[in-house]
Amino acid sequence: MKVDDLVLQLQDIINDAKAVPFSNGKVMVSSNDIYDILDQIQDAMPAEVRQAKNIVADRKQILAEANRESENIIRAAEERKKAMLNQNELVREAQAKAKEIVEDAKKKSAEIRNAANVYVNSIIKRTEESIASQLDEIRKTKQNIANSQKTGSDRK
């Protein structure tokens, strides 16, 4: 189960809990239910961390592929440049064209790298924000539970 769903379950338990009279909005919940959900959240968190690591690995793969493609483009451009230089009549034309192809290849390579970085960074940012938000919710819930238990034991 996803952490988001588990946090929603915690919220539902708190929302459905019975109010403790004269407790200024405090509610009574089953600590076993809360601890069970918290255990599930702890089990689910590593999965989301693994997902973030996979995204980083995908980024590396995308960048490596972009580098390979750019190297192939540059190599092909260099080979074409050499072939054109061998033709005496087209020497000047070949040099200009080869230079243009190499520059175009470098530009395309940079564009591919930039696009891959932007894409991967946006995914990582969303994942970070999601995990941080979920962690904040868990901490708030734990604090609410601790406060509820403390006020419950203070009243006895």
Side-chain angles (χ1 to χ4, degrees):
M1 188 173 280
K2 285 189 162 190
V3 175
D4 291 341
D5 297 332
L6 294 168
V7 170
L8 289 175
Q9 279 185 6
L10 281 174
Q11 290 173 341
D12 288 344
I13 289 173
I14 293 170
N15 288 337
D16 295 343
K18 293 187 179 187
V20 175
F22 308 109
S23 67
N24 199 17
K26 304 278 190 270
V27 295
M28 186 175 296
V29 295
S30 167
S31 62
N32 288 338
D33 291 345
I34 300 298
Y35 284 125
D36 180 48
I37 292 173
L38 288 174
D39 287 341
Q40 291 179 47
I41 289 172
Q42 286 176 332
D43 291 341
M45 286 298 281
E48 295 200 8
V49 170
R50 279 192 303 276
Q51 181 184 12
K53 287 180 182 177
N54 288 339
I55 290 169
V56 170
D58 288 347
R59 175 184 179 264
K60 289 178 183 175
Q61 181 182 353
I62 290 168
L63 289 175
E65 190 174 312
N67 283 333
R68 280 193 302 275
E69 185 176 336
S70 69
E71 288 171 6
N72 288 339
I73 292 170
I74 291 169
R75 192 175 311 114
E78 291 292 337
E79 288 172 10
R80 185 167 180 189
K81 177 182 172 183
K82 287 178 187 176
M84 293 175 108
L85 287 175
N86 289 334
Q87 300 174 8
N88 290 336
E89 299 172 34
L90 304 172
V91 170
R92 288 186 189 140
E93 234 178 79
Q95 288 174 339
K97 185 67 176 173
K99 183 178 178 182
E100 180 182 319
I101 291 170
V102 169
E103 288 175 5
D104 188 47
K106 288 178 182 178
K107 184 189 284 186
K108 285 181 182 177
S109 172
E111 288 172 2
I112 291 170
R113 282 190 192 115
N114 288 338
N117 280 333
V118 167
Y119 172 74
V120 170
N121 284 336
S122 71
I123 290 174
I124 291 171
K125 183 178 180 184
R126 284 194 308 254
T127 302
E128 280 180 355
E129 289 170 354
S130 174
I131 290 171
S133 171
Q134 293 168 1
L135 186 57
D136 286 345
E137 287 297 325
I138 290 169
R139 287 181 178 148
K140 288 176 187 174
T141 302
K142 283 178 78 172
Q143 187 62 45
N144 288 340
I145 292 168
N147 291 342
S148 294
Q149 289 177 341
K150 183 177 180 185
T151 46
S153 64
D154 288 344
R155 298 208 179 264
K156 288 184 179 181

